[in-house]
Amino acid sequence: MVANNIDGETQRMSQVLAVQKASFTAAMPESLDVRRDRIDRAIALLVDHAEDFAKAVSEDFGHRSRDQTLMTDIMPSVSALKHAKKHLESWSKGEKRKPTFPLGLLGAKAEVVFQPKGVVGVVAPWNFPIGMVFVPMAGILAAGNRAMIKPSEFTENVSALMARLVPEYFDESEMAVFTGGADVGVAFSKLAFDHMIFTGATSVGKHIMRAAADNLVPVTLELGGKSPTFIGRSANKDLVGQRVALGKMMNAGQICLAPDYLLVAEDQEGAVIDSVTKGAAALYPTLLANDDYTSVVNTRNYDRLQSYLADAREKGAEVIEVNPGGEDFASSNGHKMPLHIVRNPTDDMKVMQEEIFGPILPVKTYKSIDDAIDYVNANDRPLGLYYFGQDKSEEDRVLTRTISGGVTVNDVLFHNAMEDLPFGGVGPSGMGNYHGLDGFRTFSHARAVYRQPKLDVAGLAGFKPPYGKATAKTLAKELKK
């Protein structure tokens, strides 16, 4: 019976893809007015049902703050869609390019025009189950594409709500949602889309690339990794504590860009740990009954995080539980988890090998900033990198000698909130990017268009046989050092 259900869903996905491709081709060229209308409908879907989405997310997580969902899922999505609508006309204009000398003098013309790719597959994660669909959707719709969406099976209520609401605002030939488990996700990733965007774990990203390769589907991968946070000696420690605690405890650390570990000068370790502890207590004086603090999403992830802590203790780390209200988490039957700071972490510990994705914060010490830079460079390139400090030359050293998807200076996460900045990873933390103009171009095909003048350019340049003096002259001119 299960196999039949999977086969049926796979068949339906293939049929919808065929319908969307045919509809896309029939509608070419997709007018800007149609694109604006789709963006307006996406905004309306989110605004009309913001409260429904907030309730569904909280049900899926065991608890998540309504305000947080509105701020981190709904608001960024609406902002991205509005930004795309505002700039759509200017983004859509072709770019004039210079023909190779002397063709421009002879009347040749060259330009790049931006065409929609067709149908984009969107595979979304559970941590921001609405935002990770509708923020990239801004670029997808602005570029003139159709979309097929596979939301996460771990947020079943959100996925079911999205599957119910999308048909109320979009025809199936424009946008469609497919729910189901990992088997449906595998079948979805094997479809012959014109582009696919996946947000999630690096390990799953590898499978997505393999599946896409069979149909040569271009992919944008938004992965994660271990985003390091450099705390320079010149940093304002109170500021560090407030901002690191906010970035690490938002969504209970279940953010691909959360500060994964701190790099702190040896002689300042105690002061930095104290500042983060105070910052956490100021934000969340209590945790268990605090509506503002999110639960770990499910038992599987809760157990994973607990195993990281057990492994760290077993291998000699000091684990500091930041529990401002002195609450009894052991008796709680939920998945809320306080911040844990891990001192003296070593590279053989899971907390330093895996992306943490939860409220655990290792603190590594360094003798010199170059030691910290060398440590980061010895590991996979991260999605985010953070530097706190007032020393401009040290800041430049960190930023110019490391590579990461993006950077925030004197805070964490915020480069992702800038719609005019590209968002994406590098290497194991991802490939390609979106947001704003960069998203529009990711989901567009940059088509080269060259217009030849009436003159016999090939003959004048000696490109046509029989080769002779004109050929020799062109070669002599071009083949010089």
Side-chain angles (χ1 to χ4, degrees):
M1 177 67 87
V2 173
N4 287 340
N5 287 342
I6 296 164
D7 291 342
E9 191 69 350
T10 301
Q11 186 177 11
R12 190 173 84 85
M13 290 190 296
S14 297
Q15 288 169 346
V16 171
L17 177 59
V19 167
Q20 288 202 1
K21 285 197 171 191
S23 180
F24 169 79
T25 302
M28 289 175 66
E30 203 74 90
S31 75
L32 299 190
D33 284 342
V34 167
R35 302 182 198 190
R36 289 188 191 98
D37 175 60
R38 288 182 184 145
I39 291 171
D40 283 339
R41 281 184 273 147
I43 293 169
L45 185 158
L46 294 167
V47 173
D48 293 348
H49 299 281
E51 296 295 339
D52 297 327
F53 275 120
K55 285 175 189 168
V57 173
S58 191
E59 286 169 9
D60 283 327
F61 271 74
H63 173 74
R64 192 166 92 165
S65 157
R66 163 195 175 270
D67 291 333
Q68 189 201 300
T69 294
L70 296 182
M71 280 192 298
T72 61
D73 270 277
I74 305 296
M75 189 174 75
S77 299
V78 171
S79 296
L81 288 157
K82 286 180 176 177
H83 182 83
K85 183 183 173 186
K86 179 180 178 182
H87 296 282
L88 173 56
E89 190 167 349
S90 63
W91 293 347
S92 301
K93 287 177 180 170
E95 286 184 358
K96 297 278 189 259
R97 298 292 176 91
K98 261 191 156 183
T100 306
F101 180 83
L103 298 178
L105 299 177
L106 301 173
K109 291 183 178 170
E111 67 174 329
V112 176
V113 296
F114 297 101
Q115 292 186 305
K117 289 187 171 180
V119 180
V120 179
V122 181
V123 185
W126 53 262
N127 61 328
F128 293 108
I130 306 136
M132 295 296 93
V133 170
F134 283 96
V135 173
M137 194 63 67
I140 292 167
L141 297 180
N145 298 292
R146 315 295 169 109
M148 291 172 59
I149 302 161
K150 170 58 179 76
S152 173
E153 62 269 26
F154 294 124
T155 44
E156 288 183 9
N157 290 289
V158 173
S159 298
L161 180 61
M162 199 176 288
R164 178 172 69 78
L165 292 177
V166 165
E168 294 180 13
Y169 292 80
F170 292 91
D171 187 81
E172 196 172 64
S173 65
E174 300 173 296
M175 188 186 295
V177 179
F178 302 89
T179 60
D183 44 9
V184 176
V186 169
F188 187 90
S189 67
K190 290 178 178 178
L191 294 172
F193 296 114
D194 298 296
H195 194 102
M196 183 160 47
I197 178 168
F198 166 80
T199 306
T202 301
S203 57
V204 181
K206 293 176 182 177
H207 294 298
I208 293 285
M209 275 198 81
R210 289 190 194 103
D214 285 341
N215 290 306
L216 295 177
V217 175
V219 293
T220 299
L221 299 178
E222 299 303 335
L223 309 176
K226 302 187 71 62
S227 297
T229 305
F230 290 80
I231 313 297
R233 283 189 167 85
S234 63
N236 178 322
K237 302 305 182 291
D238 290 338
L239 197 75
V240 168
Q242 295 161 20
R243 295 181 178 179
V244 167
L246 177 61
K248 189 64 180 180
M249 298 184 75
M250 180 186 289
N251 211 37
Q254 297 165 117
I255 305 176
C256 58
L257 274 172
D260 199 90
Y261 63 96
L262 304 188
L263 292 157
V264 183
E266 279 181 340
D267 54 324
Q268 296 187 344
E269 182 191 22
V272 170
I273 289 174
D274 286 347
S275 73
V276 173
T277 302
K278 286 174 187 168
L283 293 168
Y284 305 102
T286 62
L287 298 169
L288 284 175
N290 189 336
D291 278 348
D292 292 340
Y293 191 62
T294 297
S295 172
V296 173
V297 69
N298 54 29
T299 302
R300 173 184 164 186
N301 277 279
Y302 181 84
D303 290 346
R304 175 182 62 81
L305 293 166
Q306 294 299 327
S307 76
Y308 288 180
L309 293 174
D311 175 74
R313 289 188 183 102
E314 204 175 285
K315 291 172 180 170
E318 178 188 350
V319 178
I320 303 165
E321 182 181 288
V322 182
N323 184 357
E327 295 168 284
D328 183 8
F329 283 85
S331 309
S332 167
N333 60 3
H335 294 135
K336 279 197 173 181
M337 181 176 167
L339 175 65
H340 289 76
I341 295 173
V342 179
R343 289 187 66 194
N344 307 315
T346 53
D347 287 350
D348 64 335
M349 296 177 187
K350 289 178 183 175
V351 288
M352 295 310 297
Q353 294 174 345
E354 307 288 339
E355 181 181 4
I356 292 170
F357 226 70
I360 299 173
L361 183 64
V363 178
K364 282 190 71 70
T365 60
Y366 63 80
K367 287 186 169 63
S368 73
I369 201 70
D370 283 334
D371 293 338
I373 290 169
D374 289 343
Y375 180 82
V376 170
N377 284 337
N379 290 283
D380 288 344
R381 289 170 176 169
L383 183 59
L385 181 145
Y386 310 116
Y387 172 81
F388 285 84
Q390 307 306 315
D391 184 335
K392 192 67 175 67
S393 65
E394 182 178 81
E395 176 192 318
D396 288 345
R397 191 156 184 76
V398 170
L399 266 57
T400 57
R401 292 200 59 235
T402 58
I403 295 175
S404 66
V407 171
T408 296
V409 175
N410 284 319
D411 211 330
V412 298
L413 308 182
F414 269 86
H415 65 277
N416 179 42
M418 304 298 111
E419 194 58 25
D420 253 345
L421 286 176
F423 174 65
V426 55
S429 60
M431 63 177 66
N433 47 58
Y434 63 101
H435 283 194
L437 172 63
D438 300 280
F440 175 86
R441 292 200 171 172
T442 287
F443 301 116
S444 297
H445 167 56
R447 190 185 200 185
V449 178
Y450 174 76
R451 292 181 173 86
Q452 191 74 290
K454 290 180 182 178
L455 288 167
D456 182 11
V457 173
L460 290 170
F463 293 163
K464 290 163 67 174
Y467 301 127
K469 288 182 180 178
T471 309
K473 188 176 178 183
T474 296
L475 291 171
K477 178 178 179 299
E478 296 298 326
L479 300 181
K480 290 193 294 191
K481 289 183 182 178

